[in-house]
Amino acid sequence: MKKTIGCILGVLLVFSLSAQIGNSAKAKEIVSKLTLEEKADLVVGKGMKIPGMNSQSGPVVGKTEDKVPGAAGTTHEFPRLGIPSMVLSDGPAGLRINPIRNGDSSKTFYATAWPVATLLASTWDTGMVKKMGTYFGNEIHDYEVDIILGPAMNIQRNPLGGRNFEYFSEDPVVAGFMASALVNGIQSTGVGTSIKHFVANNQETNRNTVNTIVSERALREIYLKGFEIAVKKSNPWTVMSSYNLLNGTYTSQEYDLLTTILRKEWGFKGLVMTDWFGGKDPVAQMKAGNDLLMPGTPSQTKAIIEAVKNGTLDQKVLDENCERILNIIFESPAYKNYKFSNKPDLRKHEEISKIVAEDGMVLLKDNNHALPFSKNVHSIALFGINGYELIAGGTGSGDVNKAYTISLAQGLANAGYNVANQVKNVYTNYINEEQAKHPKKSFFAEFMNPTPPVKEYVADEAFLNSAAENDDIAAISIGRNAGEGRDRKIEDDFNLSDTERALIEGVTKAFHSKNKKVVVVLNIGGVIEVASWRETPDAILLAWQPGLEGGNAMADLLSGKINPSGKLAITFPEKYENVPSAKNFPGKEFPEQATTGNFGMKQIPAEVTYDEGIYVGYRYYNTYKVKPAYEFGYGLSYTNFSYSNLKLSASKFNGNLTVSFAITNTGNVAGKEVAQLYISAPSGNLDKPAEELKNFAKTGLLKPGQSMTIQFNIKASDLASFDTKRVSWLVDAGKYMVKIGASSENIKLSAAFSVPKEIVVEKDHNALAPQVEINEFTGK
Ligand code: BGC
């Protein structure tokens, strides 16, 4: 028997090795047949038509009309060698292609708007996210796209980050696990992914010019870590380098980032592409290991050809860039001649999108059982313009052309409630009037100059009192939208506007005076201020930007058909000033050095220093004892859970430690719980955050009284910190605490173990050091 298994394994090994060698031999052979001009074409995308484009850098959300109209870009084809062109398309929350081709609306190409990444992270359910990825992958495949430009996985360093909705979390373990789950799901269908934006692209202000200054330790432990996890756990086909400079060099031109760390240390085998028009110097990009320049410009091709001719670019380097691209092309549906249907199963995908949305919405507050709605709730007075116009996802390349969206009003009606007409008519008339003032602009015009959102309707007392008289409960929906190219503002965005505050106060006063309850629903893509108003309403449901089925998902949670089980993967601070990066976001500008970039836009050199070091998100709030409004890992349920029976496999760490415990549903309805494993390390050679998340799990649906045992393994690498002086990942000797939490503050069980002597887990390369001194937080 043993022999047979050995034999099978041997055959498998030879098979997989030969497949790999086969590919690279095939790639080498093709490269040997390419002319220099063809090589330069292969490493530069086919370009895109954008009116007024005059240089190679600048903000871009464009599309090509080639092959799949509306996709973000394509690679060159070489028919004489059997090499097709690959289609690359956005984005992280759904496929962004044109829904209508050549003005013919008899056949449409709408795509599913999935819940945004921030909501996916709030599910804490990697199985769910992987499953969603398989449906997402099928849709990509069916629409003839080879590589999806996502998941996006930068750290949500600051709540004002314009693209935070595209990203998962403030924590690299959550970001890494979620991105891996999505990549594994999508790639299992035979299409590729591009994890982006590598790396330290945590703001939109001056995104093409900003120099991010960050310590090696913070880079390794916070900003690179999620990417490292994703590369090791899911082998994404491609990585997209970012727009910014990192410690003085454009990321797409940084050899130590793209080759030393990504390839040599982590073993990445795929190709690296630029973000659209990212970086400055095509030759430096080739040398750094940034194989593909997207979307591609003639001047890049020319520069590469000239550099080989004049000896400043070694032909061998260009050959390797080409080989890496070819090895991915060999995997692509285009090369495999996949017969795409252009008819994905959109109905099924909508159903999955709703299930995921329900899994990631977070119940922030529920006083006196305002939720779920009681049996006596029939008529709902729905306030807030957002209740009638869902924000399914953010703007820019992370947007999706979906066939429809379900508003909260529609969702409540679908769930059988009476959405009060008297209130509804006032809002819908107001929205129509306001929207008529701003004719719809093209996607590109909108990107350059976004239409301001419709201002909240000013509701007077008589209107509120009459609703309180007539209806059983009030719901208020507050919405926020943002996207690439711009960060959010503090006033009227992070903080509620005066009209929104007045609305919450007015509605609550009117309804409470009739002994009726008030529920606030937040349809937002990033964190807002809640501390100053959260005492007013009875309940708050954080729905995030939940994809096209959002309103149906919200209604099922409000009605209690589904029990909320999402938890925050980002902290809600008490106020903006409490955010650790508040003083260093979005950094300094040097306007006297400004130049003109694409579309006549000003390019202002800028720099931002990450003074907070590793103290990002809860690592900061917990260590510095700054009380947040809602902490990382927080979320309520309609039931309760107890935690018990924590067991560690040993009290002395010997390279692997097993942690197990039980969770029991002690309430009256079925529900799912998210358990989080934090480690508190001894203060040895390096400063340590008070707690660091190392793993997490979500239970299945537990019936009342039902228990489940959860088990985690802790390896030495999970305990290690990066010691810059020794360029090594080290585990200090001493006493460690395992803390099992329902959130980062609500620790339910804990136990100690010891590490008898220092462990050197890995020695790395000296790379990416900042050139200036950073006055970093020390945790003390
Ligand atoms: C964005 C990328 C996107 C690309 C292609 C860029 O502006 O930063 O995330 O994938 O455009 O549309």
Side-chain angles (χ1 to χ4, degrees):
M1 180 64 184
K2 260 193 190 153
K3 218 171 164 187
T4 324
I5 292 176
C7 218
I8 292 171
L9 282 179
V11 171
L12 282 178
L13 195 66
V14 169
F15 179 77
S16 72
L17 273 181
S18 67
Q20 266 179 31
I21 292 168
N23 261 357
S24 75
K26 192 156 80 186
K28 277 197 187 350
E29 196 196 321
I30 293 201
V31 170
S32 74
K33 292 181 180 155
L34 292 172
T35 64
L36 172 59
E37 285 68 23
E38 285 174 325
K39 288 177 191 172
D41 273 346
L42 182 59
V43 296
V44 176
K46 269 174 98 174
M48 57 165 49
K49 290 185 201 93
I50 296 171
M53 192 181 74
N54 56 14
S55 85
Q56 340 176 340
S57 67
V60 164
V61 177
K63 53 193 187 179
T64 65
E65 293 306 311
D66 202 29
K67 244 177 157 180
V68 179
T74 42
T75 58
H76 277 93
E77 66 269 316
F78 303 89
R80 74 176 179 92
L81 298 167
I83 302 298
S85 103
M86 287 193 296
V87 179
L88 281 45
S89 183
D90 288 303
L95 194 61
R96 190 171 75 91
I97 57 174
N98 288 357
I100 309 236
R101 297 182 183 171
N102 304 320
D104 173 9
S105 52
S106 64
K107 188 169 188 309
T108 55
F109 302 81
Y110 284 109
T112 309
W114 306 98
V116 301
T118 310
L119 184 148
L120 299 186
S122 309
T123 67
W124 299 73
D125 190 339
T126 50
M128 175 77 84
V129 171
K130 183 174 174 196
K131 181 172 154 197
M132 187 197 105
T134 60
Y135 292 100
F136 191 175
N138 285 333
E139 192 166 315
I140 298 163
H141 218 151
D142 281 340
Y143 274 142
E144 207 195 346
V145 170
D146 298 279
I147 294 175
I148 185 85
L149 303 172
M153 53 179 305
N154 295 92
I155 292 294
Q156 294 166 332
R157 171 178 179 249
N158 184 289
L160 302 185
R163 297 185 85 168
N164 278 359
F165 74 97
E166 294 188 50
Y167 305 146
F168 294 103
S169 174
E170 67 188 20
D171 177 84
V173 171
V174 178
F177 283 23
M178 286 296 157
S180 316
L182 201 51
V183 169
N184 279 325
I186 294 174
Q187 292 194 166
S188 71
T189 67
V191 295
T193 56
S194 192
I195 56 172
K196 67 188 189 185
H197 309 87
F198 194 56
V199 67
N201 178 184
N202 310 97
Q203 66 185 57
E204 290 303 289
T205 311
N206 300 315
R207 66 174 176 168
N208 293 87
T209 54
V210 69
N211 180 23
T212 305
I213 300 174
V214 51
S215 74
E216 291 137 282
R217 180 174 178 199
L219 259 177
R220 296 268 187 178
E221 292 188 17
I222 307 289
Y223 298 98
L224 289 168
K225 192 70 190 176
F227 286 95
E228 178 182 359
I229 294 172
V231 165
K232 291 182 175 168
K233 270 172 133 14
S234 63
N235 288 314
W237 289 11
T238 82
V239 168
M240 186 191 290
S241 52
S242 55
Y243 281 134
N244 54 291
L245 296 92
L246 171 63
N247 292 330
T249 307
Y250 278 107
T251 57
S252 59
Q253 299 172 195
E254 179 53 77
Y255 180 89
D256 274 346
L257 177 69
L258 304 184
T259 299
T260 312
I261 293 182
L262 178 65
R263 294 196 163 96
K264 295 191 181 154
E265 290 184 7
W266 301 350
F268 176 66
K269 296 279 182 292
L271 73 83
V272 177
M273 71 177 83
T274 57
D275 196 348
W276 268 227
F277 301 97
K280 277 248 157 75
D281 178 349
V283 175
Q285 288 171 318
M286 292 297 111
K287 290 181 184 167
N290 194 120
D291 311 300
L292 180 61
L293 309 184
M294 289 305 295
T297 65
S299 65
Q300 290 171 324
T301 322
K302 197 164 151 245
I304 290 168
I305 295 171
E306 266 167 24
V308 174
K309 285 191 177 154
N310 69 24
T312 48
L313 176 62
D314 189 341
Q315 174 102 261
K316 273 199 217 126
V317 171
L318 182 60
D319 286 354
E320 273 180 40
N321 299 125
C322 288
E323 280 170 34
R324 287 196 287 254
I325 295 172
L326 285 168
N327 281 328
I328 293 301
I329 292 179
F330 298 149
E331 298 296 321
S332 68
Y335 185 80
K336 292 181 177 164
N337 230 337
Y338 176 75
K339 298 281 170 279
F340 55 92
S341 68
N342 267 337
K343 279 203 191 93
D345 187 352
L346 294 177
R347 292 291 89 74
K348 180 75 188 166
H349 299 181
E350 288 151 13
E351 194 186 299
I352 300 293
S353 175
K354 172 170 174 275
I355 295 173
V356 178
E358 288 166 347
D359 207 40
M361 293 185 182
V362 186
L363 182 62
L364 294 178
K365 171 178 178 179
D366 189 15
N367 266 19
N368 305 321
H369 303 291
L371 291 177
F373 291 156
S374 82
K375 297 270 171 297
N376 303 328
V377 168
H378 305 289
S379 174
I380 301 171
L382 177 57
F383 298 94
I385 49 174
N386 176 243
Y388 299 89
E389 295 250 309
L390 180 83
I391 301 171
T395 62
S397 62
D399 198 2
V400 182
N401 296 313
K402 56 253 167 213
Y404 68 90
T405 55
I406 302 286
S407 65
L408 176 54
Q410 186 62 50
L412 290 169
N414 293 346
Y417 293 100
N418 170 30
V419 180
N421 268 332
Q422 208 196 354
V423 181
K424 181 177 166 183
N425 292 342
V426 169
Y427 275 98
T428 45
N429 289 342
Y430 170 74
I431 294 169
N432 290 341
E433 274 165 30
E434 289 300 304
Q435 283 177 345
K437 293 182 192 159
H438 301 283
K440 246 198 161 7
K441 291 192 277 191
S442 74
F443 185 87
F444 187 65
E446 188 61 46
F447 177 72
M448 296 302 287
N449 188 12
T451 310
V454 174
K455 286 212 166 67
E456 188 50 80
Y457 174 72
V458 181
D460 66 32
E461 226 179 295
F463 172 58
L464 300 180
N465 286 338
S466 117
E469 186 69 49
N470 295 330
D471 303 311
D472 303 324
I473 197 164
I476 306 171
S477 192
I478 303 281
R480 288 289 182 272
N481 210 352
E484 71 174 300
R486 270 162 210 90
D487 290 310
R488 294 171 54 209
K489 298 181 288 118
I490 297 179
E491 288 317 318
D492 295 349
D493 188 346
F494 178 78
N495 291 338
L496 293 193
S497 69
D498 291 345
T499 317
E500 289 168 333
R501 265 174 218 285
L503 181 68
I504 295 175
E505 275 159 28
V507 170
T508 308
K509 193 168 155 231
F511 277 73
H512 280 186
S513 76
K514 301 273 180 244
N515 251 330
K516 293 177 182 174
K517 294 187 168 134
V518 178
V519 174
V520 171
V521 176
L522 300 176
N523 176 197
I524 58 182
V527 169
I528 62 168
E529 186 275 332
V530 291
S532 67
W533 59 267
R534 65 174 161 173
E535 295 309 325
T536 311
D538 301 285
I540 307 173
L541 176 69
L542 169 59
W544 292 121
Q545 292 172 342
L548 79 184
E549 279 286 319
N552 285 333
M554 294 168 185
D556 281 353
L557 295 189
L558 297 173
S559 72
K561 186 170 171 195
I562 303 282
N563 188 352
S565 63
K567 291 194 179 185
L568 298 178
I570 181 165
T571 309
F572 274 56
E574 286 254 4
K575 49 181 191 251
Y576 180 72
E577 298 73 57
N578 285 0
V579 172
S581 56
K583 289 204 181 71
N584 285 298
F585 183 94
K588 282 189 285 203
E589 290 186 343
F590 304 102
E592 65 289 350
Q593 296 166 33
T595 55
T596 306
N598 290 330
F599 327 114
M601 277 184 75
K602 230 185 186 179
Q603 300 274 290
I604 307 174
E607 73 179 30
V608 57
T609 306
Y610 289 9
D611 280 353
E612 72 280 7
I614 58 167
Y615 295 97
V616 177
Y618 70 90
R619 284 171 168 78
Y620 170 79
Y621 297 101
N622 287 13
T623 310
Y624 284 81
K625 303 206 167 20
V626 177
K627 184 102 186 101
Y630 295 115
E631 75 274 14
F632 177 83
Y634 171 88
L636 301 174
S637 162
Y638 296 149
T639 187
N640 297 308
F641 298 95
S642 73
Y643 287 64
S644 60
N645 213 10
L646 175 62
K647 285 189 197 135
L648 306 191
S649 58
S651 57
K652 251 191 212 157
F653 187 74
N654 62 1
N656 191 16
L657 186 80
T658 308
V659 177
S660 68
F661 57 96
I663 295 184
T664 307
N665 181 349
T666 55
N668 300 322
V669 287
K672 299 190 241 179
E673 170 69 336
V674 173
Q676 301 146 42
L677 185 154
Y678 296 90
I679 291 283
S680 296
S683 39
N685 292 323
L686 297 171
D687 309 323
K688 298 276 185 166
E691 278 90 24
E692 282 191 295
L693 182 83
K694 300 299 174 185
N695 212 331
F696 56 85
K698 189 166 198 167
T699 65
L701 191 69
L702 296 179
K703 294 198 195 92
Q706 197 180 348
S707 295
M708 182 178 171
T709 300
I710 296 199
Q711 190 172 307
F712 294 120
N713 284 323
I714 301 177
K715 303 177 300 303
S717 55
D718 295 324
L719 302 175
S721 300
F722 188 75
D723 185 330
T724 308
K725 282 201 202 99
R726 290 164 66 185
V727 202
S728 300
W729 288 91
L730 300 178
V731 181
D732 278 327
K735 181 177 158 198
Y736 286 73
M737 295 298 295
V738 173
K739 297 180 176 173
I740 305 297
S743 80
S744 57
E745 278 185 3
N746 187 3
I747 302 300
K748 300 284 192 181
L749 304 166
S750 60
F753 68 91
S754 67
V755 172
K757 64 177 204 312
E758 183 194 81
I759 308 170
V760 181
V761 177
E762 189 179 301
K763 180 116 188 72
D764 282 337
H765 300 82
N766 220 330
L768 308 176
Q771 278 132 34
V772 290
E773 208 171 308
I774 308 176
N775 194 8
E776 262 191 337
F777 292 15
T778 60
K780 288 177 188 111

